[in-house]
Amino acid sequence: MGREVHQNRPHAEVVGGHCFGNGSKNRNCVLVGDTGVITLALSKGRIFDETLPLLKAAGIKPADDPEKSRKLVIATNRADVKIIIVRASDVPTYVQYGAADMGIAGKDVLLEHGGDGLYQPLDLRIARCRMMVAVPNEFDYESAVRQGARLRVATKYVKTAREHFGAKGVHVDLIKLYGSMELAPLAGLAEAIVDLVSSGNTLKANNLRPVEEIMPISSRLIVNQAALKLKRNSVQPMIGAFSAAVARSKK
Ligand code: PRT
Ligand code: MG
């Protein structure tokens, strides 16, 4: 599929062979045009909160607080930057299809998404935690694994869990959940879970213990690959400002 220019979207380009264009016969196409405005996709909660200092370093101040306002499109002090508020696991999809030029997503979310069509220039070192295997305090995970038992594991992170247990040669039946993984062993749905742990308080409160660390997790800046070229003049300074802020915070 080649380049398409749409009358009401100057300089629009077809990305990755998918088109949602207005009036286009090609229904699955996404358009990334240089309107001069950068759209940044963020999820509310810890990612939004921990992104605020990075935005400040780039001279960007959101006009509303997503915890207080119901707005999903938030203007900033800069006419050329707007923020859209999406579910954490939807951030890579918005950026992949060019509905957002940039976004911030956890490595956990990016691994499940696969990263197609995304440029990942920067580990922002925010929203840090660990992806872990956890079991009820009384469950002898180590013996079960040694004996080659088949384990039922509940998780939101099916892809990451499959790779982890596959590499270890542990037999598992993975059960996909969308939240509150900690409940699964208590309710008898699974013997183990794969979930994110930061303070460890949620595991403790539910009589669970961590038995394996799969990997450390932090959030990454992601950029639509077409926007990186077409909006270079706006995108590059923002990557630079974020990168400098991350370097300063390491010291
Ligand atoms: O909540 P929602 O279902 O909408 O989406 P989400 O859970 O994916 O979003 P959000 O905002 O909760 O998390 C966004 C990102 O923050 C995740 O994708 C991670 O990269 C990162 N992050 C960092 C965490 C945590 N720390 C974390 N502790 N995400 C979730 N948790 C949860 C964890 O799943 C567990 O239920 O917090 C609980 C454990 O916390 P502790 O402190 O008790 O150990
Ligand atoms: Mg959550």
Side-chain angles (χ1 to χ4, degrees):
M1 198 179 301
R3 196 178 159 89
E4 266 183 24
V5 176
H6 291 246
Q7 274 179 335
N8 50 356
R9 297 209 205 182
H11 319 301
E13 187 177 51
V14 177
V15 182
H18 299 290
C19 212
F20 301 129
N22 332 338
S24 165
K25 280 184 204 138
N26 239 326
R27 294 197 61 82
N28 281 324
C29 220
V30 171
L31 303 165
V32 176
D34 191 359
T35 53
V37 176
I38 292 280
T39 303
L40 175 68
L42 296 177
S43 54
K44 62 180 182 183
R46 69 190 101 219
I47 290 197
F48 187 87
D49 297 345
E50 295 190 37
T51 299
L52 280 177
L54 299 171
L55 290 174
K56 194 174 169 201
I60 300 162
K61 193 176 179 304
D64 293 283
D65 173 355
E67 295 298 339
K68 292 185 188 139
S69 136
R70 285 175 182 267
K71 282 187 186 167
L72 298 174
V73 180
I74 297 183
T76 71
N77 60 321
R78 279 180 35 185
D80 61 336
V81 181
K82 68 174 176 182
I83 295 170
I84 58 172
I85 302 296
V86 304
R87 187 92 187 248
S89 45
D90 290 336
V91 168
T93 308
Y94 274 83
V95 177
Q96 173 186 9
Y97 286 92
D101 302 301
M102 307 174 90
I104 295 178
K107 186 177 173 186
D108 49 320
V109 164
L110 290 168
L111 288 172
E112 291 301 305
H113 172 271
D116 256 17
L118 302 175
Y119 172 57
Q120 299 184 31
L122 208 51
D123 178 356
L124 298 170
R125 301 168 58 85
I126 60 169
R128 289 162 86 171
C129 56
R130 289 165 296 154
M131 175 93 68
M132 307 214 61
V133 182
V135 298
N137 286 332
E138 65 284 358
F139 182 73
D140 191 350
Y141 175 78
E142 294 77 5
S143 304
V145 167
R146 221 178 305 120
Q147 288 160 15
R150 193 166 187 95
L151 294 176
R152 274 176 309 158
V153 179
T155 187
K156 190 167 158 183
Y157 307 104
V158 170
K159 214 165 155 182
T160 312
R162 187 180 297 118
E163 273 167 32
H164 173 72
F165 292 112
K168 282 175 62 86
V170 174
H171 304 289
V172 290
D173 289 320
L174 294 169
I175 300 171
K176 167 83 183 177
L177 289 179
Y178 292 88
S180 299
M181 268 74 83
E182 296 89 353
L183 178 64
L186 311 183
L189 180 63
E191 284 99 27
I193 60 170
V194 167
D195 195 8
L196 303 176
V197 178
S198 36
S199 67
N201 290 340
T202 311
L203 291 185
K204 253 190 227 138
N206 292 291
N207 299 318
L208 301 169
R209 65 181 175 103
V211 286
E212 265 163 19
E213 173 164 342
I214 300 181
M215 68 180 79
I217 299 288
S218 56
S219 289
R220 318 284 152 132
L221 181 65
I222 55 175
V223 183
N224 173 277
Q225 282 177 348
L228 186 68
K229 292 184 203 137
L230 294 168
K231 298 188 175 183
R232 185 166 208 92
N233 293 341
S234 321
V235 167
Q236 282 299 353
M238 218 145 123
I239 298 176
F242 281 7
S243 165
V246 173
R248 275 197 302 275
S249 71
K250 266 194 221 170
K251 285 179 190 159

